Amino acid sequence: MELYSTLSRSVEPFVTLNPDRVSLFVCGPTVYDYSHLGHARTYVAFDVLVKYLRWTGKEVFYLQNITDVDDKIINRAKEEGVSQNALSRKFENEYLRDMQSLGINAVSYYARATTHIPEIIDQVERLIARGVAYVSETGVYFNVDTFERNGELSGQDGTKRVSRVSDTSKNNPLDFVLWKIGEYGEYTWDSPWGRGRPGWHIEDTAISEKYFGQQYDIHGGGLDLIFPHHEAEIAQMESLEGKHPMVKYWLHTGFLTVKGEKMSKSLGNFITIRDALRTWNKDVLRYFILLSHYRSPLQATDEGIANAAKALEHIRAVAKKDTGVNREGRKAFTDAMESDLNTPMALAAIQALATSGDIGALKEFGEILGINFLRETSAPLSVLQDIRAELRARKQFDVADLIRERMVAAGINITDAPL
RNA sequence: GCCAAGGUGGCGGAGUGGCUACGCGGUUGACUGCAGAUCAACUACAUCCCGGUUCGAAUCCGGGCCUUGGCUCCA
C-alpha cells in the first residue's frame, strides 16, 4: 500500500515498524459540544483505512484520544452550571453515539486525557530533565529553540512566524505550554510544579507513548492540526530520547466546507452528525464522504449528498443476481485502496462490480467501506414480495398495487420487474 | 507578510506524459398491466492564464491570476 505523508509531502510505500502490526493514533475530539460532519469526514476516512488494513491481514491497534480537559470545556461547564466531568462525559457519550450511528467502529481503544495524568506528569518531568523544558511562574514550557527540526511538518520557518500570543513568562513566544499552573476547578491536579492541568499537546504524546512507545506507524487527524498541535507532538516525543521519526506517516484529512468555508464550530456553519442523520442514513453519508479523496476539500451541499444517495440507490438496484466473481473489478477496487486510499476510484470499481453482478465482492468490500451495497431483504419482506409476484402473475393488480402503496408509505422502496 | 492545499465537462469527482475514469443530470431507444426501476446508445465546446521542455502535457518546468485553509482553539 502507498500512503501520502505530510512529513515527506509525497506518496510513499507503507512500511510498518512491525511487519504484521500497525500502530495508529488519531486525534480525537475535544468533548464540549456535538460533533459535526467535518468530524465525520475525518473519522470515516480513518475507519475505512483501518478496516482495509485489517482486511489485508494486518493487525491494527487504532488508538484515539479524547480531550476532556480544556479551556472550552471549563468555560462551557461554567456557562451551563455543570461540572466539567458531567459536561465532558456527556459529550464524550454523544460523540461515541454519533460514531456508532455512522458505522465507525474500528477504534481499538479510546484514551481520555484525564485518566492519564500520571503519564503526562512523568513525561513533563523527563522533558525538564532533558533540558528542553523550563518552569516559569505560570507553568512549564517547552523550549522550541532546543528542537532543531521545529517546523519540519508544517514547512514553516519558525523565525518568520509571528506569534499572536503575548505571554511574558515565556522565553520565546513560540514556546508552548506543557503544564498550566493554577486552579481550574475540579480538573486540577497536584504536580511537582504546583497544582494545575496539562497543556493540550502533551496529552497525546503521553498517551501514545504509553501504548506504543516513542515511535509508531501512523498519526492522523485533520489538516488544521498540523500546526501547532502535531509540530508540538513531534518536538515533545522526539526530545525524550532523540528517536526520529516519531511517526513516518502523517495522514491529514482535508476540510469539509460549506459555501467555500471550512465547517467549524467557531464559524457556526456546522451541521451536526445527528441532524444530518435525520435526513440521510449512514450509508448515504459514508458514500458521499468517500466519493472524494480524503485529502481533498469536500463541499457539503444537499445536492451533493442527494447525488450520492441516487448513485447508491442505483448500485443497489443493479446488484441483484449473482453472476460470480469479477476478477478485474475486484482488482480495480484493491488497486484503488492501495493507492493512498483512493476511495473515489474504489467506488468506481464498486459500480463495475455491481453492474457485473459480483455480489460477494459487494458484500465484502461493503464491509470495508462501511456501506451496505445490497438491498436489505428481511424474511417478512421477501414473503410480501413473493405474494405480490404471485398476485401480479394472476393479474390481480389492484391488490398488488395496494400492497405496493402501503410498502412505499412505510418507507420501503419497491420496484417491479416487467412481467 | 510567511506556509500549505487546490483550480478538470451543466454538477460532483478521479487521473503524474500519449488511448481521459466513475457518478448525477440531459437526449434517444428498448422493456413495461400501471408507477418506478433496469438495459442500450448518445451527450457533454472540460483540464485557470501565459510561456517553456517534448514527436506528444490536465499530467513535467518557470511566471502569473484566483479560491480555501494554517500562522490563536479547531477533525
Side-chain angles (χ1 to χ4, degrees):
Chain A
M1 183 173 202
E2 294 192 318
L3 290 173
Y4 179 94
S5 175
T6 307
L7 189 59
S8 64
R9 307 227 172 256
S10 59
V11 177
E12 297 180 71
F14 180 50
V15 182
T16 52
L17 297 171
N18 282 295
D20 297 321
R21 256 182 299 159
V22 181
S23 44
L24 163 72
F25 181 94
V26 173
C27 290
T30 301
V31 283
Y32 71 100
D33 205 342
Y34 292 103
S35 304
H36 56 68
L37 285 182
H39 299 105
R41 202 268 168 102
T42 292
Y43 298 122
V44 164
F46 288 107
D47 188 64
V48 170
L49 173 67
V50 170
K51 284 172 177 166
Y52 177 72
L53 287 171
R54 286 181 181 148
W55 180 82
T56 64
K58 300 259 189 198
E59 183 192 319
V60 184
F61 193 100
Y62 177 5
L63 178 62
Q64 193 173 113
N65 72 308
I66 300 274
T67 300
D68 58 351
V69 49
D70 178 86
D71 284 338
K72 294 194 174 182
I73 291 170
I74 295 169
N75 295 337
R76 182 63 71 90
K78 212 173 283 176
E79 280 169 28
E80 298 192 3
V82 297
S83 72
Q84 292 174 45
N85 182 63
L87 185 93
S88 53
R89 286 295 79 77
K90 175 188 169 187
F91 285 112
E92 177 185 292
N93 286 332
E94 299 292 2
Y95 167 70
L96 296 174
R97 210 188 89 181
D98 287 343
M99 291 301 108
Q100 199 183 354
S101 46
L102 282 172
I104 295 169
N105 50 21
V107 176
S108 310
Y109 187 67
Y110 288 99
R112 289 178 193 151
T114 55
T115 55
H116 292 79
I117 300 298
E119 288 84 354
I120 290 169
I121 289 174
D122 176 66
Q123 199 173 74
V124 175
E125 280 188 304
R126 283 181 288 143
L127 288 171
I128 294 172
R130 293 288 293 191
V132 298
Y134 58 91
V135 186
S136 81
E137 280 175 27
T138 54
V140 182
Y141 293 88
F142 187 93
N143 180 352
V144 294
D145 295 330
T146 64
F147 189 67
E148 57 191 15
R149 280 189 296 275
N150 197 238
E152 186 181 40
L153 188 65
S154 61
Q156 297 200 69
D157 183 348
T159 56
K160 286 184 187 158
R161 210 151 45 213
V162 186
S163 176
R164 300 186 199 172
V165 191
S166 58
D167 185 341
T168 50
S169 65
K170 294 199 279 189
N171 291 349
N172 180 329
L174 296 175
D175 290 350
F176 52 87
V177 69
L178 300 173
W179 187 264
K180 288 188 175 190
I181 294 172
E183 284 296 329
Y184 299 95
E186 66 198 276
Y187 278 171
T188 308
W189 294 267
D190 288 320
S191 84
W193 322 284
R195 285 176 60 73
R197 64 182 180 86
W200 176 34
H201 318 302
I202 197 78
E203 75 172 78
D204 292 46
T205 48
I207 288 169
S208 59
E209 188 190 13
K210 175 175 179 179
Y211 299 97
F212 294 149
Q214 288 165 19
Q215 291 182 298
Y216 52 98
D217 296 311
I218 306 175
H219 189 119
L223 213 55
D224 46 359
L225 297 179
I226 294 173
F227 184 89
H229 189 51
H230 291 162
E231 288 278 10
E233 283 194 53
I234 292 172
Q236 289 165 356
M237 194 78 110
E238 296 192 0
S239 292
L240 287 173
E241 289 173 23
K243 286 186 185 162
H244 171 77
M246 161 196 178
V247 163
K248 191 172 172 196
Y249 304 94
W250 288 85
L251 270 50
H252 292 103
T253 52
F255 294 126
L256 188 77
T257 58
V258 179
K259 290 181 185 134
E261 282 185 313
K262 173 186 169 191
M263 178 180 286
S264 72
K265 287 173 188 170
S266 38
L267 284 170
N269 61 353
F270 61 90
I271 303 162
T272 62
I273 290 170
R274 63 196 48 205
D275 278 348
L277 282 167
R278 274 190 253 279
T279 313
W280 313 102
N281 63 46
K282 70 118 176 137
D283 287 322
V284 167
L285 289 175
R286 289 181 74 111
Y287 192 95
F288 169 69
I289 287 167
L290 297 175
L291 217 40
S292 56
H293 187 82
Y294 72 88
R295 276 190 286 114
S296 307
L298 172 59
Q299 180 87 239
T301 61
D302 283 340
E303 296 73 29
I305 303 176
N307 186 324
K310 280 181 201 157
L312 180 55
E313 255 322 297
H314 180 255
I315 288 172
R316 287 177 176 161
V318 171
K320 275 182 179 149
K321 59 171 181 273
D322 195 345
T323 55
V325 173
N326 172 352
R327 278 235 165 70
E328 307 90 87
R330 292 186 179 206
K331 185 169 186 308
F333 178 85
T334 51
D335 283 351
M337 297 297 278
E338 290 286 320
S339 172
D340 194 26
L341 208 71
N342 192 331
T343 54
M345 213 183 233
L347 288 175
I350 292 289
Q351 291 281 349
L353 288 165
T355 308
S356 74
D358 188 343
I359 304 299
L362 290 176
K363 197 169 178 213
E364 194 172 338
F365 296 156
E367 278 168 23
I368 295 172
L369 301 176
I371 297 170
N372 186 1
F373 292 117
L374 304 172
R375 274 226 173 100
E376 338 232 318
T377 43
S378 60
L381 220 58
S382 49
V383 169
L384 265 183
Q385 297 269 36
D386 289 349
I387 293 172
R388 281 198 71 250
E390 186 61 34
L391 286 168
R392 289 176 65 231
R394 295 182 193 177
K395 305 216 185 293
Q396 300 183 17
F397 298 118
D398 50 341
V399 186
D401 288 354
L402 179 67
I403 295 173
R404 181 170 66 194
E405 256 173 58
R406 294 287 171 85
M407 288 173 81
V408 169
I412 299 162
N413 220 352
I414 173 169
T415 58
D416 291 329
L419 279 173

